[in-house]
Amino acid sequence: MELVAKRRQKQGPEGISYNKSAKQSIPDLIDLSVGDTDLITDSRIIERARADALKGYTHYGDPKGDPELAEAILRAWREDHGESVPGEQLLVTASSCLGMALVMLAMLDPGDEVIIFSPYFSVYREQVELAGGKPVFVPTYQQEGYAISERRLRDAITPRTRAMIFNNPNNPTGAVYGRETLEMLARVAREKDLAVVADDIYTYYFFEGEYLPIRCLPGMAERTVTLNSFSKNFLMTGWRVGYIIAPSPLIQAMSDINGALCYSTPSISQRAAIEALALRAELGACYGSVYRQRVEYAAGRIAAIPYLSLLPPRGTFYLFPGIEATGLSSREFCRQLLEKAHILVTPGSAFGSEGEGHFRIACTVGLDALGEAFDRMQGLKF
Ligand SMILES: Cc1ncc(COP(=O)(O)O)c(C=O)c1O
């Protein structure tokens, strides 16, 4: 019997590599492939979760989020961005992967189009298609500094366009978008009556400029869905906790769907997130500088490798070097890097067709391991 539905019998998008067999069979492998960190969550956050679990936070919680966490998120938002967001505009989610899927499931009717700037975080495509939507890709290019072109954006808009997904700083390119781009996107969104789905999960990793939520621009709160997550900003990838700020009818629709998917976000993780927010000034500065140091070190090493090209890093903990000089496809380049140098990275094609000709390095190992990886790369010829 065929158990998989016809609609799921497609070849899925080329995902981010998680090469288990390489990890097992290559003892000196340096893994720069997954956007997860080598650092453990701060011990005070872990202790808070432990203590609260022992107090009884082991049950289902409020489907919209632990009231104390909700209050802490809204307070932090007010302090950091000067905007008072009412409680009914917040939904705590079990990660922003789930969050983005909820947004699409609640926002799209079959055939609705969602603009995605490419290269893009691979999962967006599945999240849009899962909801019956159609992803429409608007390219950005290394040679243009990954700038978002207003003309290309306008050309991609049709009567079916509902929303654009905007990720700042950007995974995989490391690009950072400033006020001018935000204002352009806001202008187009208002004019064409589109929603902006802002994936703002690397906000502590701006190396240039600072985080300005697009929802804070005039007239944008009513059409912006802001996703955030504790995964990257607080090195809490395994805790699976994030949140969404959006107009209340959408929050209610997402909460209803979430009720059928996981009901409430893990209680223990939410208690941990309360502590994380209390420590945000200290941890944000610390993690920002740790990753900035790694990324800048890696960029310096890449500059000395003739077969690679790179823009100066501006945010996140990713680098997205070009490999045109090798004449290889990104998959073949990554295969050879694994075979010849025991380095695991992600082919650019995993991030959409505009990612071809690149590969992604996640600087999620310490400086010593990064140094070793670049020593190996420097010795290669293509
Ligand atoms: C741009 C972007 N959005 C969302 C996510 C998913 O985050 P979470 O761990 O909260 O599901 C990631 C994870 O790599 C990401 O890079």
Side-chain angles (χ1 to χ4, degrees):
M1 189 209 164
E2 180 54 78
L3 287 174
V4 179
K6 285 191 200 65
R7 68 188 168 88
R8 297 298 308 173
Q9 288 173 16
K10 53 174 184 163
Q11 189 74 27
E14 213 179 283
I16 295 179
S17 65
Y18 186 77
N19 195 326
K20 213 169 159 193
S21 67
K23 284 184 183 199
Q24 282 160 356
S25 59
I26 307 176
D28 65 345
L29 184 82
I30 301 176
D31 185 0
L32 306 175
S33 68
V34 186
D36 196 353
T37 174
D38 53 317
L39 305 173
I40 296 174
T41 305
D42 187 273
S43 59
R44 290 164 291 180
I45 298 175
I46 300 173
E47 281 307 332
R48 172 71 183 263
R50 181 178 180 280
D52 284 359
L54 288 170
K55 281 187 207 152
Y57 283 93
T58 55
H59 301 277
Y60 291 129
D62 183 323
K64 290 216 170 126
D66 180 317
E68 267 184 72
L69 175 60
E71 202 188 305
I73 292 169
L74 297 176
R75 193 181 329 115
W77 190 269
R78 202 166 52 244
E79 287 170 6
D80 296 352
H81 308 301
E83 186 200 10
S84 288
V85 175
E88 65 271 15
Q89 295 189 13
L90 175 74
L91 178 67
V92 176
T93 56
S95 82
S96 76
C97 275
L98 176 66
M100 185 63 88
L102 291 173
V103 173
M104 295 304 149
L105 288 164
M107 186 185 275
L108 302 182
D109 280 316
D112 280 350
E113 296 175 6
V114 177
I115 288 175
I116 298 175
F117 303 105
S118 177
Y120 58 94
F121 175 51
S122 327
V123 183
Y124 293 154
R125 180 184 187 147
E126 177 78 281
Q127 287 160 333
V128 170
E129 289 179 346
L130 200 57
K134 182 179 162 211
V136 174
F137 299 104
V138 171
T140 66
Y141 300 103
Q142 176 176 298
Q143 59 272 29
E144 297 176 3
Y146 295 109
I148 295 175
S149 145
E150 180 168 355
R151 185 190 51 77
R152 283 186 211 122
L153 168 61
R154 285 183 182 275
D155 286 351
I157 295 171
T158 76
R160 293 307 306 266
T161 310
R162 284 282 280 153
M164 52 178 119
I165 298 179
F166 174 55
N167 173 215
N168 188 29
N170 184 274
N171 173 15
T173 64
V176 156
Y177 298 97
R179 184 178 279 274
E180 209 178 309
T181 303
L182 269 60
E183 282 175 351
M184 181 274 285
L185 296 177
R187 193 170 60 242
V188 175
R190 286 190 302 258
E191 193 184 306
K192 300 285 181 182
D193 196 22
L194 306 180
V196 174
V197 181
D199 183 347
D200 291 354
I201 83 162
Y202 292 94
T203 51
Y204 293 170
Y205 305 100
F206 275 86
F207 309 145
E208 185 185 291
E210 56 183 32
Y211 174 45
L212 167 65
I214 194 166
R215 70 167 273 122
C216 293
L217 295 186
M220 287 306 288
E222 68 202 55
R223 60 178 66 255
T224 303
V225 181
T226 301
L227 289 108
N228 213 314
S229 166
F230 291 80
S231 288
K232 315 289 173 161
N233 279 350
F234 293 103
L235 312 184
M236 290 174 67
T237 48
W239 299 77
R240 313 311 292 138
V241 56
Y243 62 90
I244 304 174
I245 297 177
S248 50
L250 188 73
I251 291 286
Q252 189 54 53
M254 292 190 291
S255 181
D256 293 345
I257 299 166
N258 198 38
L261 296 181
C262 78
Y263 187 67
S264 59
T265 300
S267 303
I268 304 168
S269 301
Q270 293 192 75
R271 301 308 293 175
I274 296 171
E275 189 67 22
L277 279 179
L279 297 170
R280 70 188 186 286
E282 175 195 334
L283 296 182
C286 169
Y287 300 153
S289 82
V290 166
Y291 282 104
R292 183 177 190 155
Q293 201 190 359
R294 291 180 183 185
V295 161
E296 286 179 350
Y297 169 76
R301 296 291 310 261
I302 289 169
I305 299 180
Y307 57 85
L308 299 181
S309 66
L310 187 73
L311 290 177
R314 294 189 291 153
T316 71
F317 38 71
Y318 306 109
L319 292 164
F320 204 53
I323 50 163
E324 286 85 352
T326 66
L328 299 174
S329 72
S330 62
R331 280 191 84 75
E332 180 55 21
F333 174 81
C334 293
R335 199 192 63 71
Q336 292 195 21
L337 203 58
L338 181 60
E339 192 181 285
K340 295 179 185 172
H342 295 178
I343 298 168
L344 187 61
V345 290
T346 309
S349 57
F351 305 98
S353 50
E354 283 71 27
E356 189 46 79
H358 296 259
F359 70 105
R360 191 190 72 173
I361 296 174
C363 293
T364 49
V365 298
L367 284 173
D368 287 352
L370 268 183
E372 168 65 22
F374 286 107
D375 289 347
R376 293 185 200 172
M377 278 192 230
Q378 204 148 12
L380 297 179
K381 296 242 172 333
F382 287 95

